[in-house]
Amino acid sequence: MVAYVRLRTLLALLGAVVLVLAGPPLLTTGSGADTGTRIPGLRFMVPNTPGGGYDITARTAARDAEDAGLTHGIEVFNLPGAGGTVGLSRLVSEHGNGKLAMSMGLGVVGAARSNHSPRTLADTTPIARLTEEQDVVVVAKDSPYRTIGELIKAWRENPGKLPVGGGSSPGGPDHLAPMLMAQAAGIAPKRVNYIPFDGGGELLASILGNKVAFGVSGVGEYLDQIRSGELRLLAVTGAERVPGLDAPTLQEAGFDVNFTNWRGIVAPPGLSDTERGKLVRLFEELHDSPQWRESMRRNGWSDAFLTGEEFGRFLAEQDRRVVSVLKELGL
């Protein structure tokens, strides 16, 4: 009987050892816990409507982070309004919430200025700049303009009668790009009939419905429509052509414009060092994942990764840049 009890005790001890040894892999495999990136209940806010650049960026990042096993169950939700400043105000009000992050970019920088928002990006916690991309100049497939030269010629003749649409408020990328185009074409920026939309999704419907003569937005937002023939691509705004797209740069077409947009992630103010560090690590690991690399290639995004304080300094520089360009354009 004593020998039986001793045997049971020995077996129980051995079982406990096995559970301890087997436990850590079961808990960490594919969960992101081994790299400190797992944030249960994490939510990504998109400060404009579905289908725009911030929306595509947030949903792609959430999917890729989960596919790479970095974390699970990320919720993506839209809170549009006032060029992104409604979402910005909500983010700032979530003081100390380490489970919330917001997809944003140059458009929010400009909107905060043009809308005189009481909250600015200086009130947030910078996490990471993710991508850079060119804007595209597009028209509907049945538009009379087949080249960028034809469009600019008609635009010069009567700027007010050729409305241009963009998915950002004044001061944002989709506003600054056509204003710089106008300046390069000899059109006074104040004569441009710019119609802002709350993101590329809203803008798309107006381009296809011929409610605007042409639209300007990020290349990743309209790749599918360009490739399917719904949209006709006339030009890209950066220094080089976009691989796989048959369109000249504005510089090639004779207009001295070199403009790119960027997108990133910010979080509420008041995070602890641990909470901020975990969000930064999540995006560092995402940046290095094959899933994200493929998404960047597929969407025509360039790598522009920058984190923490460096990203914070970049945001401050971008705010100064927006103010300077608007003054230069007389806007």
Side-chain angles (χ1 to χ4, degrees):
M1 182 65 177
V2 173
Y4 174 71
V5 171
R6 285 177 178 171
L7 178 60
R8 287 185 60 187
T9 302
L10 179 61
L11 289 173
L13 288 172
L14 287 172
V17 171
V18 170
L19 285 173
V20 169
L21 292 175
L26 291 173
L27 290 172
T28 60
T29 299
S31 70
D34 52 339
T35 57
T37 60
R38 192 166 68 86
I39 307 175
L42 180 59
R43 307 174 78 208
F44 287 168
M45 182 199 302
V46 177
N48 59 15
T49 53
Y54 301 153
D55 188 68
I56 294 170
T57 300
R59 294 182 190 280
T60 301
R63 184 196 66 226
D64 289 353
E66 294 187 4
D67 288 350
L70 302 176
T71 192
H72 295 290
I74 302 173
E75 178 192 348
V76 181
F77 69 100
N78 298 77
L79 186 63
T85 56
V86 170
L88 176 61
S89 294
R90 163 71 179 276
L91 186 81
V92 174
S93 73
E94 295 275 347
H95 189 278
N97 185 352
K99 297 180 183 294
L100 180 65
M102 185 177 83
S103 175
M104 48 71 69
L106 180 56
V108 177
V109 178
R113 280 289 177 181
S114 61
N115 294 334
H116 307 290
S117 171
R119 302 297 188 183
T120 72
L121 289 165
D123 298 316
T124 69
T125 299
I127 300 300
R129 184 184 70 186
L130 298 176
T131 62
E132 184 178 49
E133 70 171 343
Q134 301 195 42
D135 268 3
V136 290
V137 182
V138 292
V139 296
K141 63 181 179 181
D142 57 351
S143 168
Y145 310 114
R146 306 197 67 83
T147 68
I148 187 65
E150 291 176 358
L151 173 64
I152 297 294
K153 181 177 182 294
W155 201 23
R156 279 174 173 154
E157 291 172 357
N158 201 332
K161 287 196 174 180
L162 264 72
V164 50
S168 57
S169 295
D174 299 351
H175 172 251
L176 294 178
M179 293 303 168
L180 292 170
M181 284 173 55
Q183 185 183 52
I187 301 168
K190 286 186 176 181
R191 296 186 64 201
V192 173
N193 181 9
Y194 176 76
I195 301 177
F197 294 86
D198 206 352
E202 284 191 359
L203 170 61
L204 177 61
S206 290
I207 300 172
L208 295 176
N210 292 307
K211 294 180 180 178
V212 294
F214 65 103
V216 177
S217 194
V219 60
E221 297 180 58
Y222 293 158
L223 271 178
D224 289 343
Q225 291 78 16
I226 291 169
R227 287 170 175 161
S228 70
E230 288 183 86
L231 293 177
R232 182 182 300 147
L233 175 61
L234 301 186
V236 297
T237 64
E240 298 179 355
R241 292 191 176 208
V242 175
L245 296 181
D246 184 20
T249 67
L250 288 170
Q251 289 180 330
E252 283 181 295
F255 306 101
D256 189 18
V257 176
N258 179 4
F259 181 87
T260 56
N261 186 19
W262 56 268
R263 295 194 178 94
I265 301 290
V266 293
L271 300 193
S272 68
D273 289 344
T274 299
E275 290 170 323
R276 183 184 63 82
K278 207 161 192 178
L279 280 168
V280 170
R281 278 195 301 277
L282 172 62
F283 284 97
E284 286 175 340
E285 294 290 330
L286 173 67
H287 170 258
D288 293 339
S289 71
Q291 289 87 350
W292 182 250
R293 296 289 177 178
E294 171 57 22
S295 291
M296 286 199 299
R297 184 200 65 77
R298 188 175 59 251
N299 287 295
W301 296 337
S302 298
D303 190 6
F305 196 64
L306 198 65
T307 62
E309 293 181 1
E310 285 185 279
F311 181 37
R313 288 191 289 271
F314 172 80
L315 288 176
E317 183 277 327
Q318 288 290 286
D319 184 60
R320 292 190 292 269
R321 177 193 177 201
V322 166
V323 172
S324 175
V325 172
L326 289 176
K327 284 183 178 179
E328 179 186 338
L329 295 173
L331 300 171

